[in-house]
């Protein structure tokens, strides 16, 4: 399975960005999807996850109420709408896929994910 993330860029604090990740090479509905990020000098951290059906979502505390994860199973795409961005959100954002063809659950741990995109850089200026 291949993941292609896009949508990063430079934005001022308080602004918004929408990241997208297109998945190809496998049945998208079989995958739990997640977004992670890695800031300079820091470890990769969980941002958001969505179950295969889209009925369940979870977020890291620092983005709750500002970020929204969604998926379109007809377009093999997972999105991350990011609002009220602040400089602490600056990082490379990665989408990830975890195969789960039989159960509709969430995954928040990076090591649970088998497939990763190349990352897209988000820079928030103050």
């Amino acid at each position: 399975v291949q993941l292609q993330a896009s949508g990063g860029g430079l934005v001022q604090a308080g602004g918004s960005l929408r990241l997208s990740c297109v998945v190809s090479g496998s049945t998208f509905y079989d995958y739990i999807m997640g977004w992670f990020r890695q800031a300079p000098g820091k470890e990769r951290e969980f941002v958001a996850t969505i179950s295969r059906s889209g009925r369940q979502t979870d977020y890291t505390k620092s983005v709750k109420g500002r970020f929204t994860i969604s998926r379109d199973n007809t377009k093999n795409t997972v999105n991350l709408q990011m609002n009220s961005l602040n400089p602490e959100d600056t990082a490379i954002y990665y989408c990830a896929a975890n195969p789960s063809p039989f159960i509709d659950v969430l995954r928040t741990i990076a090591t649970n994910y088998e497939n990763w995109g190349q990352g897209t850089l988000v820079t928030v200026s103050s």
Side-chain angles (χ1 to χ4, degrees), residues 37 47-48 59-68 89 93:
R37 66 186 180 185
V47 176
Y59 302 87
T60 192
K61 184 177 180 180
S62 64
V63 309
K64 280 184 179 179
R66 300 189 297 122
F67 290 11
T68 302
D89 296 315
Y93 284 71

Side-chain angles (χ1 to χ4, degrees), residues 2-21:
Q2 292 80 46
L3 290 76
Q4 181 69 44
S6 62
L10 174 63
V11 63
Q12 290 188 334
S16 299
L17 281 174
R18 183 178 177 86
L19 306 183
S20 294
C21 177

Side-chain angles (χ1 to χ4, degrees), residues 6 10 20 26 33-34 42 49 56 59 67 73 76-77 80-81 83 85 91 112-113:
S6 62
L10 174 63
S20 294
S26 191
M33 298 301 299
K42 295 187 177 181
T49 181
Q56 301 179 72
Y59 302 87
F67 290 11
N73 287 340
N76 290 4
T77 300
L80 186 67
Q81 178 65 42
N83 299 328
L85 286 161
N112 288 145
Y113 288 83

Side-chain angles (χ1 to χ4, degrees), residues 22-23 27-29 52-53 70-79:
V22 179
V23 179
T27 304
F28 182 64
Y29 185 71
R52 54 196 289 259
S53 71
S70 63
R71 66 190 292 159
D72 185 339
N73 287 340
T74 67
K75 296 182 179 179
N76 290 4
T77 300
V78 60
N79 301 302

